[in-house]
Amino acid sequence: MKYDVLIIGAGPAGIFTALELVRRKSQKKILIIEQGSSIEKRTCPKSVTGKCVNCKNCAITTGFSGAGAFSDGKLSLSAEVGGDLPELIGRDLAQKTIDYVDKIYLEFGADSHIEGLSNPQKVKEIRKKAIKAGLKLVDCPIRHMGTEKARDIYYSIQKYLLQNGVELYFETKCADLIIDDELCVGAIIEKANERTRIFADKIIVATGRRGADWLERVCKSHKIEHQPGTVDVGVRVEVRNEIMEEVNEALYESKLIGYPEPFKNKVRTFCQNPGGYVAQENYDNALALVNGHSFKDNKSQNTNLAILCSHNFKEPFNQPIEYAKKVGELTNMLGAGKILVQRYGDILSGKRTWQRELDNCNVRPTLKDAVAGDITSAMPYRSMISILNFIQQMDQVVPGFASSETLLYSPELKFYSNKIKMDEDFNTSVKNLHCLGDSSGWTRGLMMASVMGTLMARKLL
């Protein structure tokens, strides 16, 4: 079979490549293959049984819209946030395209309200506290779709693509790319244990964080130029809404960055969810990672956010994704395959947390099957110390954040460390092959991945 454009991965980058082509009346024959299910079939058994059953394709991380369908659906409306793409294409173009993509999300049903603009005086006060604490507050207006609303929006986009002739193959894996003499001509796909060769003029790889490890292996196998990038090792923190009330109301999401002593690694907050829920997501080989999300209407009594410590390794080490996975595997081992949770005060006291102690906390865990234990037995020393010192700095901005009852869940890992070498037209070292989104190492999050897909479509035209 032959197509004009073959897109591997139906996350935001792949979706918006096809969407922009359709919106601009392209006559190109487009095929998207996706490892997971169509969005209406993405149901997690854990929501019914309360137990993770390690599905072949995790409904949380695979399927149409990628992890976006089960995230809290935040669209960051600033080029200051979302990865390194502005370094490749220029900040002005990045911001202009963000504004364009945002309007498309509105067309498909996103909430018109923007968080973080209503109280500039309060934001100034929070920034002042951050500066005193040695932290940087990044201004970023947020459009919050909400977990349940995000699914509806992406379902509308899925229907739109199908109605306009885009072919979608679900439950279909890409086994390998077909590359001949530094020219990519197609891919070998696998569905129901049957392999098929698909040929195309242009091949777009947009496999998301879930597919970053696979893409790294493909790069090594076919000598596609790439380099190790940043890998984030961290925790998901959960506190009562009362503690975060000021920041939640003024900013919705506080994007704070610091370089705490003694190691001065970059540490940052990420994916803040007021009234949200801590969640588990599964990757290959039953690797269980922690994440967070928030619904538009259904709210908890807690706020959760990630604190991530960035690691940039030097030669001779060149396996940052494998490093992060080992951290996750060790933590899973301690939790018998489940997420570990520990109170901040217990970490400082050098003891593990027990379930009876969690039961008596002001902060009741929203991830009900998390295992009380000791995350410090698995977390690398450098990461752990950096995170603990960052929490102390955060306490100066948000008094009570470093409470003894603050909960830390582990492991929270971000797999986008493999960075594909590309020019500003997203050309790789292999002709006709382009890599987009989080798996490319250039973006982080829904909006910037959507931007990259939009720009890719324009270049194809």
Side-chain angles (χ1 to χ4, degrees):
M1 287 181 281
K2 178 71 183 292
Y3 292 85
D4 295 311
V5 182
L6 169 62
I7 300 172
I8 301 167
I15 289 169
F16 271 79
T17 301
L19 185 59
E20 183 70 357
L21 287 171
V22 169
R23 286 168 64 90
R24 290 183 176 251
K25 310 300 182 183
S26 169
Q27 298 303 308
K28 293 182 183 296
K29 189 178 180 183
I30 305 166
L31 170 64
I32 302 176
I33 69 164
E34 167 55 44
Q35 181 176 343
S37 304
S38 59
I39 198 162
E40 70 275 15
K41 295 181 180 179
R42 290 182 64 180
T43 56
C44 178
K46 188 176 179 180
S47 63
V48 178
T49 65
K51 295 182 179 179
C52 177
V53 296
N54 292 317
C55 299
K56 179 182 178 182
N57 294 317
C58 176
I60 301 294
T61 57
T62 68
F64 191 87
S65 85
F70 281 88
S71 76
D72 60 313
K74 283 197 294 288
L75 300 173
S76 300
L77 304 182
S78 169
E80 297 292 326
V81 175
D84 300 329
L85 183 61
E87 297 176 12
L88 188 65
I89 65 172
R91 196 160 300 278
D92 289 345
L93 178 57
Q95 187 60 58
K96 184 178 180 180
T97 315
I98 285 172
D99 297 339
Y100 172 82
V101 168
D102 183 43
K103 290 176 182 176
I104 295 175
Y105 274 108
L106 286 170
E107 288 177 23
F108 282 96
D111 190 342
S112 61
H113 176 70
I114 298 177
E115 306 283 355
L117 300 178
S118 60
N119 197 337
Q121 183 58 40
K122 182 60 69 176
V123 174
K124 287 177 67 175
E125 293 172 10
I126 295 170
R127 179 177 288 104
K128 184 177 179 180
K129 292 179 184 178
I131 292 170
K132 287 183 177 179
L135 301 175
K136 177 183 178 181
L137 176 67
V138 178
D139 274 338
C140 182
I142 299 275
R143 191 178 303 285
H144 180 227
M145 295 188 288
T147 303
E148 73 279 43
K149 304 296 184 185
R151 287 172 63 89
D152 293 340
I153 291 164
Y154 284 117
Y155 180 50
S156 296
I157 295 175
Q158 177 184 288
K159 289 193 295 183
Y160 179 84
L161 293 177
L162 288 169
Q163 289 165 1
N164 284 276
V166 176
E167 293 185 46
L168 286 161
Y169 287 5
F170 294 110
E171 308 290 338
T172 304
K173 292 179 63 176
C174 180
D176 200 359
L177 300 177
I178 303 173
I179 297 177
D180 183 21
D181 195 24
E182 297 185 357
L183 174 68
C184 189
V185 296
I188 301 171
I189 66 170
E190 185 176 301
K191 184 178 177 67
N193 295 322
E194 289 189 10
R195 289 196 168 191
T196 306
R197 288 174 173 256
I198 301 290
F199 296 94
D201 295 331
K202 295 289 184 181
I203 291 82
I204 314 292
V205 176
T207 51
R209 273 178 239 164
R210 173 67 187 251
D213 189 27
W214 171 84
L215 181 55
E216 183 180 35
R217 294 196 300 270
V218 169
C219 286
K220 290 178 179 177
S221 172
H222 293 289
K223 295 182 173 56
I224 302 166
E225 292 185 12
H226 66 290
Q227 63 191 40
T230 302
V231 65
D232 287 338
V233 176
V235 296
R236 174 74 41 176
V237 177
E238 188 168 42
V239 299
R240 291 275 303 192
N241 285 331
E242 293 89 335
I243 296 298
M244 298 294 295
E245 188 173 25
E246 183 180 57
V247 169
N248 287 347
E249 290 181 357
L251 290 164
Y252 189 86
E253 178 166 15
S254 57
K255 293 184 180 292
L256 291 160
I257 301 171
Y259 298 85
E261 299 285 353
F263 304 111
K264 297 186 177 179
N265 281 56
K266 179 181 179 180
V267 182
R268 63 190 175 97
T269 61
F270 178 76
C271 187
Q272 183 170 313
N273 299 296
Y277 294 83
V278 177
Q280 177 180 323
E281 56 185 34
N282 280 24
Y283 284 70
D284 293 337
N285 300 316
L287 178 63
L289 303 183
V290 65
N291 209 330
H293 63 98
S294 60
F295 297 100
K296 199 70 176 174
D297 302 318
N298 178 22
K299 300 294 183 182
S300 75
Q301 295 181 326
N302 297 345
T303 294
N304 69 75
L305 66 146
I307 295 181
L308 303 172
C309 180
S310 297
H311 296 268
N312 294 284
F313 295 101
K314 305 298 182 184
E315 293 181 353
F317 186 71
N318 62 356
Q319 294 179 283
I321 292 178
E322 285 300 316
Y323 170 84
K325 285 170 65 176
K326 294 299 181 186
V327 173
E329 289 168 4
L330 187 57
T331 309
N332 285 176
M333 186 187 300
L334 294 173
K338 295 182 179 180
I339 301 300
L340 277 184
V341 59
Q342 187 173 15
R343 299 187 303 176
Y344 178 71
D346 291 337
I347 295 176
L348 298 185
S349 298
K351 64 177 286 294
R352 65 161 289 170
T353 296
W354 298 93
Q355 184 60 46
R356 63 177 181 273
E357 295 169 324
L358 287 181
D359 293 339
N360 295 320
C361 268
N362 280 305
V363 188
R364 295 297 179 90
T366 55
L367 182 59
K368 300 302 183 183
D369 63 348
V371 175
D374 181 9
I375 67 176
T376 68
S377 294
M379 180 73 72
Y381 177 78
R382 188 183 189 102
S383 303
M384 193 77 253
I385 294 300
S386 297
I387 290 167
L388 295 177
N389 290 343
F390 183 84
I391 289 174
Q392 290 291 343
Q393 291 176 285
M394 279 282 294
D395 195 65
Q396 298 176 53
V397 183
V398 184
F401 192 82
S403 162
S404 61
E405 291 189 327
T406 293
L407 302 181
L408 277 66
Y409 297 82
S410 182
E412 174 120 4
L413 310 168
K414 299 305 178 190
F415 299 122
Y416 34 53
S417 61
N418 179 46
K419 201 165 192 175
I420 310 299
K421 292 185 178 181
M422 292 186 290
D423 63 19
E424 60 184 15
D425 291 323
F426 310 146
N427 294 310
T428 68
S429 60
V430 174
K431 191 175 180 181
N432 293 340
L433 174 66
H434 309 274
C435 298
L436 309 180
D438 287 13
S439 61
S440 74
W442 287 97
T443 71
R444 298 174 189 174
L446 298 179
M447 176 52 81
M448 205 62 89
S450 302
V451 164
M452 200 172 189
T454 300
L455 293 174
M456 182 75 256
R458 294 176 185 176
K459 295 175 191 303
L460 291 176
L461 290 168

